[in-house]
Amino acid sequence: MDIIQSYGLILIFIAVVFGFLMAYGVGANDVANAMGTSVGSKALSIKQAIFIAAIFEFAGAYLAGGSVTSTIRGGITDPSFFIDAPELMAYGMIAALLAAATWLIVASYFGWPVSTTHSIVGAIIGFAAVGVGVDSVNWGKVGGIVGSWVITPILAGVLAYMFFMSAQKLIFNTEQPLENAKKYVPFYMAFAAFMMSLVTIQKGLKHVGLGLGSTANGYYLAIAIAIVVGVIGKVVISRLKFDPAADKRMQFNNVERIFGILMITTACCMAFAHGSNDVANAIGPLAAVVSVVTSGGEINSTAALAWWILPLGAIGIVIGLATLGARVIRTVGTAITHLTPSRGFAAELSAASTVVIASGTGLPISTTQTLVGAVLGVGLARGIAALNLGVVRNIFISWIITLPVGAGLAIVLFYILKLIFG
């Protein structure tokens, strides 16, 4: 307890610096979730993608990041183990922030899209298991994360394959692709609006307290939005002027233009939902340190956020995105497989659908792995030769080592902090 009272301000300052670094890493790496497919399909340039993502990631993180967050990341550690030595909680969370941030920045530099959630969870498991005790870790959570390495990409990949093949059958492999696009694209728009609305309601707005009342009300709202979007899409597309005598190649180009517009809309929604959800990876441990110090060493499972923590995380995400995000965007958008707007749309729609399914079933999920799995599914629809297997191998390896690397770094940093402060 004396350590908290003697070095409290120093511990908060260190946590702020490392929390900002973690937010920087989240922005640099996870932004590929929202913008990689848009860039790869040439619906947006990298500069346009960064500009749009910066606005919606910041808006999601700042407006819907939550006024209260779980400070003990996802119940991974048992707070009762820290009651007699609260300084261990502060050391551990600071070590976890720096460990996860370091791995995210290294992975971003090499263009590897890794899970920020798994990075911080691995780091917390590391310091808790070795520095405090094996029993302080909720190992059931760990099992769920390992399972998600396989389940999430497969689910997203299968859905992306189905969306892509349906567009091929209903639109592209027909004699009149443009006419069929006018007929079927409004249904895709309505379905996309339904899924994106649910993602935003379930992941982006759950902390805001809009008073929706129940899960069912969220579904009703999403259905209403989907109907409106579908009707508007039908009207707008029917008024588009295309040359009826155009050859089939020109018709394909016009159909891709329609999907390109859809992609920009879905990318904005994903960026908002992502910013609101993953900012917690950076500010959760920081909030834990602030809570422990300002309460004089009292350990709480949840705590109100100090007003400056949320904007700190949001600014860090945007700076990370603007300075290092392009490398991961290129990997997801262009290195795994060749994307067109219709293929990118199928990938984003399946990623959003997987997020909704996972939220409904309680399946632990990584948005990074979801979108990469969806891009793989779209690529596989054209055969295994359409995938860059070297890039895919590196991505899978980076996923597997994320947890142990985060844990190992956190253990080392935890003991260094313990040595410095006693």
Side-chain angles (χ1 to χ4, degrees), residues 160-224:
Y161 181 91
M162 291 168 62
F163 288 136
F164 175 76
M165 293 308 290
S166 72
Q168 292 294 306
K169 190 169 183 179
L170 295 174
I171 299 172
F172 289 96
N173 292 342
T174 63
E175 290 300 319
Q176 297 292 330
L178 198 50
E179 286 303 314
N180 285 320
K182 290 181 178 179
K183 188 190 300 180
Y184 293 113
V185 166
F187 289 101
Y188 284 108
M189 293 175 75
F191 187 67
F194 175 72
M195 285 300 174
M196 290 299 166
S197 300
L198 277 182
V199 169
T200 307
I201 291 168
Q202 291 181 348
K203 299 201 67 157
L205 299 178
K206 63 184 177 184
H207 306 299
V208 178
L210 286 179
L212 291 174
S214 65
T215 303
N217 288 342
Y219 275 86
Y220 295 146
L221 179 60
I223 291 170

Coordinates of all heavy atoms in Angstrom, one line a residue, residues 160-224:
A160 N -18.3 -15.5 -46.7 CA -17.8 -14.7 -47.8 C -17.9 -15.5 -49.1 O -18.3 -14.9 -50.1 CB -16.4 -14.3 -47.5
Y161 N -17.6 -16.8 -49.0 CA -17.7 -17.6 -50.2 C -19.1 -17.6 -50.7 O -19.4 -17.5 -51.9 CB -17.2 -19.0 -49.8 CG -17.3 -20.0 -51.0 CD1 -16.2 -20.2 -51.8 CD2 -18.4 -20.8 -51.2 CE1 -16.2 -21.2 -52.8 CE2 -18.5 -21.7 -52.2 CZ -17.3 -21.9 -53.0 OH -17.4 -22.8 -54.0
M162 N -20.1 -17.8 -49.8 CA -21.5 -17.8 -50.2 C -22.0 -16.5 -50.8 O -22.7 -16.5 -51.8 CB -22.4 -18.2 -49.0 CG -22.2 -19.6 -48.5 SD -22.9 -20.0 -46.9 CE -24.6 -19.7 -47.2
F163 N -21.6 -15.4 -50.2 CA -22.0 -14.1 -50.7 C -21.4 -13.9 -52.1 O -22.1 -13.4 -53.0 CB -21.6 -12.9 -49.8 CG -22.3 -12.9 -48.5 CD1 -21.7 -12.7 -47.3 CD2 -23.7 -12.9 -48.5 CE1 -22.4 -12.6 -46.1 CE2 -24.5 -12.9 -47.3 CZ -23.8 -12.7 -46.2
F164 N -20.1 -14.2 -52.2 CA -19.5 -14.0 -53.5 C -20.1 -14.9 -54.6 O -20.4 -14.4 -55.7 CB -18.0 -14.4 -53.4 CG -17.2 -14.3 -54.7 CD1 -16.9 -13.1 -55.2 CD2 -16.9 -15.5 -55.3 CE1 -16.2 -13.1 -56.4 CE2 -16.2 -15.5 -56.5 CZ -15.8 -14.2 -57.1
M165 N -20.4 -16.2 -54.3 CA -21.0 -17.1 -55.3 C -22.4 -16.7 -55.7 O -22.8 -16.8 -56.8 CB -20.9 -18.5 -54.8 CG -19.5 -19.1 -54.6 SD -18.5 -19.0 -56.1 CE -19.3 -20.1 -57.2
S166 N -23.1 -16.1 -54.7 CA -24.5 -15.7 -55.0 C -24.5 -14.5 -56.0 O -25.3 -14.4 -56.9 CB -25.2 -15.3 -53.7 OG -24.7 -14.1 -53.2
A167 N -23.5 -13.6 -55.8 CA -23.4 -12.5 -56.7 C -23.0 -12.9 -58.1 O -23.5 -12.4 -59.1 CB -22.4 -11.4 -56.2
Q168 N -22.1 -13.9 -58.1 CA -21.8 -14.5 -59.4 C -23.0 -15.1 -60.1 O -23.2 -14.9 -61.3 CB -20.7 -15.6 -59.2 CG -19.4 -15.1 -58.7 CD -18.7 -14.2 -59.7 OE1 -18.5 -14.6 -60.9 NE2 -18.3 -13.0 -59.3
K169 N -23.7 -15.9 -59.4 CA -24.9 -16.6 -60.0 C -26.0 -15.7 -60.4 O -26.6 -15.8 -61.5 CB -25.4 -17.7 -59.0 CG -26.4 -18.6 -59.7 CD -26.6 -19.8 -58.7 CE -27.6 -20.8 -59.4 NZ -27.9 -22.0 -58.6
L170 N -26.3 -14.7 -59.5 CA -27.5 -13.8 -59.8 C -27.1 -12.7 -60.7 O -28.0 -12.2 -61.4 CB -28.0 -13.3 -58.5 CG -28.5 -14.3 -57.5 CD1 -28.9 -13.6 -56.2 CD2 -29.8 -14.9 -58.0
I171 N -25.9 -12.2 -60.8 CA -25.5 -11.0 -61.5 C -24.5 -11.2 -62.6 O -24.7 -11.1 -63.8 CB -25.1 -9.9 -60.6 CG1 -26.2 -9.6 -59.6 CG2 -24.6 -8.7 -61.4 CD1 -25.8 -8.6 -58.5
F172 N -23.3 -11.6 -62.2 CA -22.1 -11.6 -63.1 C -22.2 -12.7 -64.2 O -21.7 -12.5 -65.3 CB -20.8 -11.7 -62.3 CG -20.5 -10.4 -61.5 CD1 -20.8 -10.3 -60.2 CD2 -19.9 -9.4 -62.2 CE1 -20.6 -9.2 -59.5 CE2 -19.6 -8.2 -61.5 CZ -20.0 -8.1 -60.1
N173 N -22.7 -13.9 -63.8 CA -22.7 -15.0 -64.8 C -24.0 -15.0 -65.6 O -24.4 -16.1 -66.0 CB -22.5 -16.3 -64.1 CG -21.0 -16.4 -63.6 OD1 -20.2 -15.6 -64.0 ND2 -20.8 -17.3 -62.6
T174 N -24.7 -13.9 -65.8 CA -25.9 -13.9 -66.5 C -25.7 -13.1 -67.8 O -24.7 -12.4 -68.0 CB -27.0 -13.2 -65.7 OG1 -26.7 -11.8 -65.4 CG2 -27.2 -13.9 -64.4
E175 N -26.7 -13.1 -68.7 CA -26.6 -12.4 -70.0 C -26.7 -10.9 -69.8 O -26.2 -10.2 -70.6 CB -27.7 -13.0 -70.9 CG -27.5 -14.4 -71.4 CD -26.2 -14.5 -72.2 OE1 -25.8 -13.6 -73.0 OE2 -25.4 -15.5 -72.0
Q176 N -27.5 -10.5 -68.8 CA -27.7 -9.1 -68.6 C -27.3 -8.7 -67.2 O -28.1 -8.5 -66.3 CB -29.2 -8.8 -68.8 CG -29.8 -9.0 -70.1 CD -29.2 -8.0 -71.1 OE1 -28.9 -6.9 -70.8 NE2 -29.1 -8.4 -72.4
P177 N -26.0 -8.6 -66.9 CA -25.5 -8.4 -65.6 C -26.0 -7.0 -65.0 O -26.3 -6.9 -63.8 CB -24.0 -8.4 -65.7 CG -23.7 -8.2 -67.2 CD -24.9 -8.8 -67.9
L178 N -26.1 -6.0 -65.9 CA -26.5 -4.7 -65.4 C -28.0 -4.7 -64.9 O -28.3 -4.1 -63.9 CB -26.2 -3.6 -66.4 CG -26.2 -2.2 -66.0 CD1 -25.3 -2.0 -64.8 CD2 -25.8 -1.3 -67.1
E179 N -28.8 -5.3 -65.8 CA -30.2 -5.4 -65.4 C -30.4 -6.2 -64.2 O -31.2 -5.8 -63.3 CB -31.0 -6.0 -66.6 CG -31.2 -5.1 -67.8 CD -31.9 -3.8 -67.4 OE1 -32.9 -3.9 -66.7 OE2 -31.4 -2.7 -67.8
N180 N -29.7 -7.3 -64.0 CA -29.8 -8.1 -62.8 C -29.2 -7.4 -61.6 O -29.7 -7.6 -60.5 CB -29.2 -9.5 -63.0 CG -30.0 -10.3 -63.9 OD1 -31.2 -10.4 -63.8 ND2 -29.3 -11.0 -64.8
A181 N -28.2 -6.6 -61.8 CA -27.7 -5.8 -60.7 C -28.7 -4.8 -60.2 O -28.9 -4.6 -59.0 CB -26.4 -5.0 -61.1
K182 N -29.5 -4.2 -61.1 CA -30.5 -3.3 -60.7 C -31.6 -4.0 -59.9 O -32.2 -3.5 -59.0 CB -31.2 -2.6 -61.9 CG -30.3 -1.6 -62.6 CD -31.0 -1.0 -63.8 CE -30.1 0.1 -64.4 NZ -30.8 0.7 -65.6
K183 N -31.8 -5.3 -60.3 CA -32.8 -6.1 -59.6 C -32.4 -6.6 -58.2 O -33.2 -6.5 -57.3 CB -33.2 -7.3 -60.5 CG -34.4 -8.1 -60.0 CD -34.6 -9.4 -60.8 CE -34.8 -9.1 -62.3 NZ -34.9 -10.4 -63.0
Y184 N -31.1 -7.1 -58.1 CA -30.7 -7.8 -56.9 C -29.9 -6.9 -55.9 O -29.9 -7.2 -54.7 CB -29.9 -9.0 -57.2 CG -30.8 -10.1 -57.9 CD1 -30.5 -10.4 -59.3 CD2 -31.8 -10.7 -57.3 CE1 -31.3 -11.4 -59.9 CE2 -32.6 -11.7 -57.9 CZ -32.3 -12.0 -59.2 OH -33.1 -13.0 -59.8
V185 N -29.2 -5.9 -56.4 CA -28.3 -5.1 -55.5 C -29.1 -4.5 -54.4 O -28.6 -4.4 -53.3 CB -27.5 -4.1 -56.3 CG1 -26.9 -3.1 -55.4 CG2 -26.4 -4.8 -57.1
P186 N -30.3 -3.9 -54.6 CA -31.1 -3.4 -53.5 C -31.3 -4.4 -52.3 O -31.3 -4.0 -51.2 CB -32.4 -3.0 -54.1 CG -32.1 -2.7 -55.5 CD -31.0 -3.7 -55.9
F187 N -31.4 -5.7 -52.7 CA -31.5 -6.7 -51.6 C -30.2 -6.8 -50.8 O -30.2 -7.0 -49.6 CB -31.9 -8.0 -52.2 CG -33.3 -8.1 -52.6 CD1 -33.6 -7.9 -54.0 CD2 -34.4 -8.2 -51.8 CE1 -34.9 -7.9 -54.5 CE2 -35.7 -8.2 -52.2 CZ -36.0 -8.1 -53.5
Y188 N -29.1 -6.8 -51.6 CA -27.8 -6.8 -50.9 C -27.6 -5.6 -50.0 O -27.1 -5.6 -48.9 CB -26.6 -6.8 -51.9 CG -26.4 -8.2 -52.6 CD1 -26.8 -8.4 -53.9 CD2 -25.8 -9.2 -51.9 CE1 -26.6 -9.6 -54.5 CE2 -25.6 -10.5 -52.5 CZ -26.0 -10.7 -53.8 OH -25.8 -11.9 -54.4
M189 N -28.1 -4.4 -50.5 CA -28.0 -3.2 -49.7 C -28.8 -3.3 -48.5 O -28.3 -2.9 -47.4 CB -28.5 -2.0 -50.6 CG -27.6 -1.7 -51.8 SD -28.3 -0.4 -52.8 CE -27.9 1.1 -51.8
A190 N -30.0 -3.8 -48.6 CA -30.9 -4.0 -47.4 C -30.2 -4.9 -46.4 O -30.2 -4.6 -45.2 CB -32.2 -4.5 -47.8
F191 N -29.7 -6.0 -46.9 CA -29.1 -7.0 -46.0 C -27.8 -6.4 -45.3 O -27.6 -6.6 -44.1 CB -28.7 -8.3 -46.7 CG -28.2 -9.4 -45.8 CD1 -29.1 -10.0 -44.9 CD2 -26.9 -9.8 -45.8 CE1 -28.6 -11.0 -44.1 CE2 -26.4 -10.8 -45.0 CZ -27.3 -11.4 -44.1
A192 N -27.0 -5.7 -46.1 CA -25.8 -5.0 -45.5 C -26.2 -4.0 -44.5 O -25.6 -3.9 -43.4 CB -25.0 -4.3 -46.7
A193 N -27.3 -3.2 -44.8 CA -27.8 -2.2 -43.8 C -28.2 -2.9 -42.5 O -27.9 -2.4 -41.4 CB -28.9 -1.4 -44.4
F194 N -28.9 -4.0 -42.6 CA -29.4 -4.7 -41.5 C -28.2 -5.2 -40.6 O -28.1 -5.0 -39.4 CB -30.2 -6.0 -41.9 CG -30.6 -6.9 -40.8 CD1 -31.6 -6.5 -39.9 CD2 -30.0 -8.1 -40.6 CE1 -32.0 -7.3 -38.9 CE2 -30.4 -8.9 -39.6 CZ -31.4 -8.5 -38.7
M195 N -27.2 -5.8 -41.2 CA -26.0 -6.3 -40.5 C -25.2 -5.1 -39.9 O -24.7 -5.2 -38.8 CB -25.1 -7.1 -41.4 CG -25.7 -8.5 -41.7 SD -25.9 -9.4 -40.2 CE -26.8 -10.9 -40.7
M196 N -25.0 -4.1 -40.7 CA -24.2 -3.0 -40.2 C -24.9 -2.3 -39.1 O -24.2 -1.8 -38.1 CB -23.9 -2.0 -41.3 CG -22.9 -2.5 -42.4 SD -21.3 -2.9 -41.7 CE -20.6 -3.8 -43.0
S197 N -26.2 -2.2 -39.2 CA -27.0 -1.6 -38.1 C -26.8 -2.4 -36.8 O -26.6 -1.8 -35.7 CB -28.4 -1.5 -38.4 OG -28.6 -0.7 -39.6
L198 N -26.9 -3.7 -36.9 CA -26.8 -4.5 -35.8 C -25.4 -4.4 -35.2 O -25.2 -4.4 -33.9 CB -27.1 -6.0 -36.1 CG -28.5 -6.4 -36.1 CD1 -28.7 -7.9 -36.5 CD2 -29.2 -6.1 -34.8
V199 N -24.3 -4.4 -36.0 CA -23.0 -4.3 -35.5 C -22.8 -3.0 -34.8 O -22.3 -2.9 -33.7 CB -21.9 -4.3 -36.7 CG1 -20.6 -3.9 -36.2 CG2 -21.9 -5.7 -37.3
T200 N -23.4 -1.9 -35.3 CA -23.2 -0.6 -34.7 C -24.0 -0.5 -33.4 O -23.5 0.0 -32.4 CB -23.8 0.5 -35.7 OG1 -23.1 0.4 -36.9 CG2 -23.5 1.9 -35.1
I201 N -25.2 -1.1 -33.4 CA -26.0 -1.1 -32.2 C -25.4 -2.0 -31.1 O -25.3 -1.6 -29.9 CB -27.5 -1.6 -32.5 CG1 -28.2 -0.6 -33.4 CG2 -28.2 -1.9 -31.2 CD1 -29.5 -1.1 -34.0
Q202 N -25.0 -3.2 -31.5 CA -24.5 -4.2 -30.5 C -23.1 -3.8 -30.0 O -22.7 -4.0 -28.8 CB -24.5 -5.6 -31.1 CG -25.9 -6.2 -31.3 CD -25.8 -7.6 -31.9 OE1 -24.8 -8.1 -32.3 NE2 -27.0 -8.2 -31.9
K203 N -22.2 -3.4 -30.9 CA -20.8 -3.2 -30.5 C -20.5 -1.7 -30.4 O -19.6 -1.3 -29.7 CB -19.9 -3.8 -31.6 CG -20.0 -5.3 -31.7 CD -18.9 -6.0 -32.3 CE -17.7 -5.9 -31.4 NZ -16.7 -7.0 -31.6
G204 N -21.1 -0.9 -31.2 CA -20.8 0.5 -31.2 C -21.5 1.4 -30.3 O -21.0 2.4 -29.7
L205 N -22.8 1.1 -30.1 CA -23.7 2.0 -29.3 C -24.1 1.4 -27.9 O -24.9 2.0 -27.2 CB -24.9 2.4 -30.1 CG -24.6 3.1 -31.4 CD1 -25.9 3.4 -32.1 CD2 -23.9 4.4 -31.1
K206 N -23.6 0.2 -27.6 CA -24.1 -0.5 -26.4 C -23.8 0.3 -25.1 O -24.4 0.2 -24.1 CB -23.5 -1.9 -26.3 CG -22.0 -1.9 -26.1 CD -21.6 -3.4 -26.2 CE -20.0 -3.5 -26.1 NZ -19.6 -4.8 -26.1
H207 N -22.7 1.2 -25.2 CA -22.3 1.9 -24.0 C -23.0 3.3 -23.9 O -22.9 3.9 -22.8 CB -20.8 2.2 -24.0 CG -20.0 0.9 -24.1 ND1 -20.0 -0.1 -23.2 CD2 -19.1 0.6 -25.1 CE1 -19.2 -1.1 -23.6 NE2 -18.7 -0.7 -24.7
V208 N -23.6 3.7 -25.0 CA -24.1 5.1 -25.0 C -25.4 5.3 -24.2 O -25.7 6.3 -23.7 CB -24.3 5.5 -26.5 CG1 -24.9 6.9 -26.5 CG2 -23.0 5.5 -27.2
G209 N -26.2 4.2 -24.1 CA -27.5 4.3 -23.4 C -28.5 5.0 -24.1 O -29.1 6.0 -23.7
L210 N -28.8 4.5 -25.4 CA -29.8 5.2 -26.2 C -31.3 4.8 -25.7 O -32.2 5.4 -26.3 CB -29.7 4.8 -27.6 CG -28.5 5.5 -28.4 CD1 -28.4 5.0 -29.8 CD2 -28.6 7.0 -28.3
G211 N -31.4 3.9 -24.8 CA -32.7 3.5 -24.3 C -33.4 2.6 -25.3 O -34.7 2.7 -25.4
L212 N -32.7 1.8 -26.0 CA -33.4 0.8 -26.9 C -34.3 -0.2 -26.1 O -35.2 -0.8 -26.7 CB -32.4 0.1 -27.8 CG -31.7 1.0 -28.9 CD1 -30.7 0.3 -29.6 CD2 -32.8 1.6 -29.8
G213 N -33.9 -0.4 -24.9 CA -34.7 -1.2 -24.0 C -34.3 -2.7 -24.0 O -34.0 -3.2 -23.0
S214 N -34.3 -3.3 -25.2 CA -34.0 -4.7 -25.2 C -33.3 -5.1 -26.6 O -33.3 -4.3 -27.5 CB -35.3 -5.5 -25.1 OG -36.1 -5.3 -26.3
T215 N -32.8 -6.3 -26.6 CA -32.2 -6.8 -27.8 C -33.1 -6.8 -29.0 O -32.8 -6.5 -30.1 CB -31.6 -8.2 -27.6 OG1 -30.7 -8.2 -26.5 CG2 -30.9 -8.7 -28.8
A216 N -34.4 -7.2 -28.7 CA -35.4 -7.2 -29.7 C -35.6 -5.9 -30.4 O -35.8 -5.8 -31.6 CB -36.7 -7.7 -29.1
N217 N -35.6 -4.8 -29.6 CA -35.8 -3.5 -30.1 C -34.6 -3.1 -31.1 O -34.8 -2.4 -32.0 CB -35.8 -2.4 -29.0 CG -37.2 -2.5 -28.2 OD1 -38.1 -3.1 -28.7 ND2 -37.2 -2.0 -27.0
G218 N -33.4 -3.6 -30.7 CA -32.3 -3.4 -31.6 C -32.5 -4.0 -33.0 O -32.2 -3.5 -34.0
Y219 N -33.1 -5.2 -32.9 CA -33.4 -6.0 -34.2 C -34.5 -5.2 -35.0 O -34.4 -5.1 -36.2 CB -33.8 -7.4 -33.9 CG -32.6 -8.3 -33.8 CD1 -32.0 -8.5 -32.5 CD2 -32.2 -9.1 -34.8 CE1 -30.9 -9.3 -32.4 CE2 -31.1 -9.9 -34.7 CZ -30.5 -10.1 -33.5 OH -29.4 -10.9 -33.4
Y220 N -35.5 -4.7 -34.3 CA -36.6 -4.0 -35.0 C -36.0 -2.8 -35.7 O -36.4 -2.5 -36.8 CB -37.7 -3.6 -34.0 CG -38.4 -4.8 -33.4 CD1 -38.9 -4.7 -32.0 CD2 -38.6 -5.9 -34.1 CE1 -39.6 -5.8 -31.5 CE2 -39.3 -7.0 -33.5 CZ -39.7 -6.9 -32.2 OH -40.4 -8.0 -31.6
L221 N -35.1 -2.1 -34.9 CA -34.5 -0.8 -35.5 C -33.7 -1.2 -36.7 O -33.8 -0.5 -37.8 CB -33.7 -0.1 -34.4 CG -33.0 1.1 -34.9 CD1 -34.0 2.2 -35.3 CD2 -32.1 1.7 -33.8
A222 N -32.9 -2.3 -36.6 CA -32.1 -2.7 -37.8 C -32.9 -3.1 -39.0 O -32.6 -2.8 -40.1 CB -31.2 -3.8 -37.3
I223 N -34.1 -3.8 -38.7 CA -34.9 -4.2 -39.8 C -35.5 -2.9 -40.5 O -35.6 -2.8 -41.7 CB -36.1 -5.1 -39.3 CG1 -35.5 -6.5 -38.9 CG2 -37.2 -5.3 -40.4 CD1 -36.5 -7.4 -38.2
A224 N -35.9 -2.0 -39.7 CA -36.5 -0.7 -40.2 C -35.5 0.0 -41.1 O -35.8 0.5 -42.2 CB -37.0 0.2 -39.1

